[in-house]
Amino acid sequence: MTVAVQDVDSRALSGKIALITGGSRGIGAAIVERFCALGAIVYFTYRRDADAATALANKTGAHACCCSQNDDPAIEALIATLLDAHQKIDILVNNAGITDDQFLMLMPPSSWDTVLDTNLNGAFRFCKHTSRPMIQNKSGCIINMSSVSALVGIGGQTNYAASKGALLAFTRSLAAELGPRGIRVNAIVPGFIETEMTAKMSRQIKQQNKERIVLKRFGTAYEVADVAVFLVSDAATYIVGQSIVVDGGLSSTVI
């Protein structure tokens, strides 16, 4: 169910050109819906699920673009296409990411490399190709989607946690680099969110994790998307280089 954005002007993002990676499902799809509802012209990438991407594009009016996080020439071409059409990119949300969980002693190097290349290097590639036009316009917002795995140790996720932890450091340094040029860079750190990924958990594992959360429930994709709306809005013009944790209090209980 789509929940209306609370207390936000329905045209708050009118005329803004937004690019969201990994936007066909889960948190990415919720951000696509939110941004479109607020008047943005939205493009989102997907890799495999063309049916879900097409359905979301038809539902929201957003533009679905098949593009891999690992394909630098394709990313550069996509950015060029957006610039040809609009002469600017106002918002980039690096949401695309994968998991390939395995205990470290059993993890093949390919699992480590693929997760790091997709989650971290993919964000680097998109930031690199969007930062130049943002600098030219002296304006822009970038959000990097991290994870509570970067803050709380979760066994079997050394590759995923490393990629998401590195994104937090990347965000802080990029914010220092681009902030003086009018570009705000921040990160969102979601906890356990009701998505297809968490739906694969057993009932027992879900309950164990809920017991660790202060609010005793998983979050929704729209609760994360609303934070993204705030960070790219005029209400957040003095927020730069920050990591906003959206985890129901999970990380607050870790000593």
Side-chain angles (χ1 to χ4, degrees), residues 5 22 40 73 79 93 126 150 171 184 205 213:
V5 181
I79 301 302
V93 181
F126 274 95
T171 296
R184 294 189 298 106
I205 295 298
I213 299 169

Side-chain angles (χ1 to χ4, degrees), residues 97-117:
I98 62 170
T99 60
D100 190 359
D101 296 353
Q102 183 61 267
F103 289 121
L104 183 65
M105 69 181 71
L106 301 175
M107 184 180 293
S110 59
S111 293
W112 177 272
D113 292 342
T114 300
V115 170
L116 268 289
D117 191 46

Side-chain angles (χ1 to χ4, degrees), residues 101-104 149 152-158 212:
D101 296 353
Q102 183 61 267
F103 289 121
L104 183 65
S149 292
V152 178
I154 298 176
Q157 286 200 328
T158 52
R212 301 170 62 194

